[in-house]
């Protein structure tokens, strides 16, 4: 089969029909913007609590990062624990780490409750060290995580690594058995079905263009102008992640959209697949400009990375296929003859402090900033912010932490500095 510039996961999933042609309701309790994990998880929770919910999606269900990702359901945050403790102190970091573990349970619980058929498995993740220095740091990290968070990570020295991965380029690894894997397109399609079953209405091809404070019969709310006409909502929840745009300018200025790209090989022979990943882990390496990879349930090697920093375009996707194939063969020379069947890209969102953020901005609720850890965290934040909106006080240590903008405020939502950031990370990988 010739290489297809297409998201492989979409070939495995069926999406529910949405309410594209239905007229928008005039008034709702909550308008949720974005039909990815964040928005769908929020819509499901709010609708279950009895709210009238309209979910507005400019493209189609799961069109954003939620159907395009590696399907790695990961514990921890993007920043290391020592960095987190230096930023937030021990107590808040302990709550954040506990929340990161709770995100996996949250995903598992929803999948179980809604009977979502998405190949969820607690297969664990493996981080592999690209330098001796990185490996030496694993023991220190595992010790801090055991002491501060009572969570066990297993450090794997180089001479035992073949039990985890069929590559000999790494200096050792670290395993977390709690992390999981799933098929993201099937998961996001299942979340959409669950949100609709709970009573939320999903409107595809409905781009939110402007949101204005408004009063209706003396009640404060929001007038939302969309490509399909206006809608009035008591509350707004924004879950637009890396695709956040001009409709929410304050949020857009706080987020950097970054491209990430993935290739998948043809289906591999069983013996070769077992050699590459004997325990079927979700794997990523220790670089800033990192590679992440795993086997798909039908035994393809899925290999991803930030082959270009810019969000996906035809050009960056095409270039990425060649770059990622070279990276994959460096890790696994056994795959030199494997055909690449699919390549695609997507956009994820980084806050300037590389932390997840959730709460209220300009009076609207939001949850963003997952920095490549969004499968679990987006699901969790959608649910927790929805509970907050419904009047609960859920444990959520990411609400209320400082949400910094660009240094000196020099950013209008157009990431002109990405080539410099990309070069900077490559430089860091060289020297650290
Ligand atoms: C290639 C890739 C690989 C990744 N791998 C992993 C991984 O293995 N593990 C992990 O944990 N995370 C991973 N991530 C990150 C993860 O996919 C995201 O963090 C997560 O999907 C974010 O979900 P979301 O619902 O917040 O946003 P999205 O799924 O991006 O959805 C946002 C939606 O908002 C819509 N939207 C935007 N503006 C408007 C508007 N004005 N009106 C209406 N709708 C609008 C968009 O069309 C989009 O559908 C990866 C991301 C990418 C791109």
């Amino acid at each position: 089969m010739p290489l297809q510039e297409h998201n492989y996961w979409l070939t495995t999933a069926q999406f529910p029909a949405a309410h594209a042609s239905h007229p928008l309701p005039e008034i709702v309790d909550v308008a949720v913007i974005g039909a990815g994990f964040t928005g769908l998880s929020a819509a499901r929770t709010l609708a279950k609590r009895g709210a009238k919910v309209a979910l507005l999606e400019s493209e189609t269900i799961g069109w954003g990062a939620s159907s395009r990702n590696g399907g790695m359901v990961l514990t921890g945050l993007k920043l290391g624990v020592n960095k987190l403790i230096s930023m937030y102190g021990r107590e808040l970091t302990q709550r954040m780490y506990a929340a990161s573990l709770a995100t996996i349970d949250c995903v598992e619980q929803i999948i179980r409750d809604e009977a979502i058929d998405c190949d969820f498995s607690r297969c664990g993740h493996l981080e592999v060290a690209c330098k001796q220095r990185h490996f030496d740091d694993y023991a220190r990290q595992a010790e801090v995580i055991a002491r501060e968070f009572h969570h066990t990570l297993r450090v794997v020295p180089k001479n035992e690594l073949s039990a985890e991965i069929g590559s000999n380029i790494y200096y050792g690894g670290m395993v977390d058995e709690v992390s999981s894997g799933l098929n993201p397109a099937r998961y996001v399609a299942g979340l959409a079905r669950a949100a609709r079953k709970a009573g939320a209405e999903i409107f595809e091809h409905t781009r939110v263009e402007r949101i204005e404070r408004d009063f209706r019969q003396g009640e404060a709310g929001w007038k939302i102008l969309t490509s399909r006409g206006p809608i009035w909502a008591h509350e707004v929840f924004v879950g637009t992640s890396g695709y956040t745009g001009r409709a929410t300018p304050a949020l857009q200025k706080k987020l950097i959209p970054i491209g990430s790209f993935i290739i998948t090989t043809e289906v591999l022979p069983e013996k070769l697949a077992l050699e590459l990943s004997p325990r079927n882990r979700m794997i990523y390496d220790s670089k800033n400009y990192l590679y992440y990879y795993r086997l798909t349930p039908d035994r393809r090697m899925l290999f991803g990375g930030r082959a270009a920093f810019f969000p996906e375009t035809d050009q960056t996707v095409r270039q990425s296929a060649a770059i990622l194939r070279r990276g994959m063969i460096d890790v696994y020379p056994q795959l030199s003859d494997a055909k690449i069947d699919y390549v695609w890209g997507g956009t994820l969102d980084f806050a300037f402090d590389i932390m997840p953020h959730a709460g209220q901005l300009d009076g609207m609720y939001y949850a963003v900033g997952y920095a490549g850890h969004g499968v679990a965290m987006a699901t969790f934040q959608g649910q927790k912010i929805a509970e907050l909106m419904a009047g609960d006080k859920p444990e959520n240590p990411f609400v209320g932490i400082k949400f910094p903008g660009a240094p000196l405020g020099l950013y209008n939502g157009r990431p002109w500095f990405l080539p410099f950031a990309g070069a900077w990370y490559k430089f860091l990988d060289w020297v650290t």
Side-chain angles (χ1 to χ4, degrees):
M1 151 178 166
L3 172 64
Q4 294 196 40
E5 289 170 23
H6 181 67
N7 174 356
Y8 152 77
W9 294 120
L10 292 180
T11 66
T12 68
Q14 281 216 315
F15 282 78
H19 296 134
S21 54
H22 289 202
L24 293 181
E26 196 184 324
I27 173 166
V28 291
D29 295 321
V30 185
V32 177
I33 309 175
F37 300 141
T38 305
L40 290 165
S41 171
R44 170 182 175 269
T45 305
L46 286 161
K48 275 176 169 254
R49 302 290 290 261
K52 183 171 164 59
V53 179
L55 201 159
L56 310 171
E57 164 57 53
S58 58
E59 306 289 336
T60 50
I61 291 167
W63 175 89
S66 295
S67 66
R68 307 175 189 222
N69 60 72
M72 303 190 176
V73 191
L74 302 173
T75 58
L77 298 167
K78 180 76 183 163
L79 293 180
V81 285
N82 289 326
K83 177 81 182 159
L84 289 170
I85 291 172
S86 74
M87 284 165 74
Y88 299 108
R90 285 178 61 200
E91 200 234 339
L92 185 53
T93 304
Q94 277 166 349
R95 289 175 49 214
M96 288 175 173
Y97 202 85
S100 96
L101 300 179
T103 63
I104 319 281
D105 296 337
C106 170
V107 170
E108 188 174 31
Q109 185 73 44
I110 292 175
I111 289 170
R112 196 179 309 131
D113 290 351
E114 304 291 352
I116 300 175
D117 177 11
C118 62
D119 299 305
F120 178 86
S121 127
R122 287 262 185 182
C123 50
H125 84 241
L126 168 71
E127 180 176 342
V128 279
C130 298
K131 295 188 176 177
Q132 184 61 44
R133 243 193 327 274
H134 299 174
F135 178 70
D136 296 341
D137 197 45
Y138 286 170
R140 285 192 284 272
Q141 280 183 47
E143 191 270 317
V144 175
I145 288 170
R147 175 166 36 87
E148 300 289 339
F149 315 129
H150 311 293
H151 182 65
T152 306
L153 299 177
R154 186 164 55 83
V155 175
V156 187
K158 188 172 173 65
N159 62 359
E160 291 172 22
L161 204 55
S162 60
E164 292 287 344
I165 182 171
S167 169
N168 56 18
I169 67 166
Y170 297 112
Y171 290 78
M174 185 160 63
V175 169
D176 188 331
E177 300 284 354
V178 173
S179 292
S180 309
L182 52 66
N183 174 327
R186 285 189 179 196
Y187 176 50
V188 77
L191 263 184
R193 277 190 203 94
R196 284 187 68 180
K197 193 175 84 192
E201 285 194 287
I202 304 175
F203 297 92
E204 296 186 312
H205 306 294
T206 307
R207 168 170 293 281
V208 172
E209 285 162 352
R210 222 169 60 232
I211 308 173
E212 296 167 357
R213 253 289 175 220
D214 196 33
F215 288 86
R216 196 180 166 111
Q217 292 162 357
E219 268 194 80
W222 302 92
K223 186 171 170 190
I224 300 154
L225 303 169
T226 81
S227 52
R228 293 185 55 226
I231 177 168
W232 199 92
H234 287 278
E235 302 287 1
V236 172
F237 181 114
V238 187
T240 48
S241 192
Y243 298 90
T244 302
R246 276 192 235 139
T248 51
L251 204 55
Q252 186 187 21
K253 277 192 206 158
K254 287 182 182 277
L255 295 173
I256 312 166
I258 292 202
S260 191
F261 301 83
I262 293 180
I263 52 173
T264 58
T265 63
E266 62 190 328
V267 174
L268 302 172
E270 214 171 323
K271 193 158 163 265
L272 176 58
L274 194 67
E275 176 193 328
L276 301 176
S277 183
R279 295 191 171 147
N280 204 14
R281 303 284 193 204
M282 303 291 115
I283 306 175
Y284 57 88
D285 71 33
S286 60
K287 295 194 302 295
N288 290 299
Y289 221 90
L290 57 77
Y291 290 134
Y292 51 92
Y293 44 100
R294 58 170 289 184
L295 293 169
T296 60
D298 67 349
R299 287 199 321 271
R300 297 166 190 273
M301 175 53 65
L302 177 154
F303 196 90
R306 246 147 255 155
F309 248 62
F310 280 114
E312 72 280 8
T313 60
D314 287 352
Q315 202 193 354
T316 52
V317 166
R318 214 159 298 137
Q319 287 168 348
S320 297
I323 296 171
L324 290 172
R325 180 170 177 275
R326 279 198 300 274
M328 181 181 77
I329 292 169
D330 286 346
V331 176
Y332 290 124
Q334 306 93 309
L335 290 176
S336 339
D337 293 331
K339 285 213 333 276
I340 307 300
D341 278 353
Y342 296 95
V343 57
W344 70 95
T347 303
L348 35 89
D349 62 332
F350 277 68
F352 282 86
D353 59 358
I354 318 185
M355 287 295 291
H357 292 277
Q360 269 184 294
L361 188 66
D362 286 349
M364 286 177 252
Y365 290 89
Y366 70 91
V368 291
Y370 307 120
H373 276 238
V375 176
M377 189 57 86
T379 307
F380 178 85
Q381 288 299 348
Q383 185 182 88
K384 294 295 154 197
I385 295 300
E387 287 169 4
L388 185 72
M389 294 170 80
D392 294 353
K393 291 199 174 106
E395 162 65 359
N396 188 349
F398 304 99
V399 170
I401 60 173
K402 187 165 179 270
F403 190 175
L408 307 174
L410 288 175
Y411 179 51
N412 60 3
R414 278 170 204 260
W416 51 268
F417 45 78
L418 281 187
F420 304 106
W424 174 243
Y425 278 121
K426 279 190 174 153
F427 174 72
L428 283 181
D429 283 331
W430 185 52
V431 295
T432 59

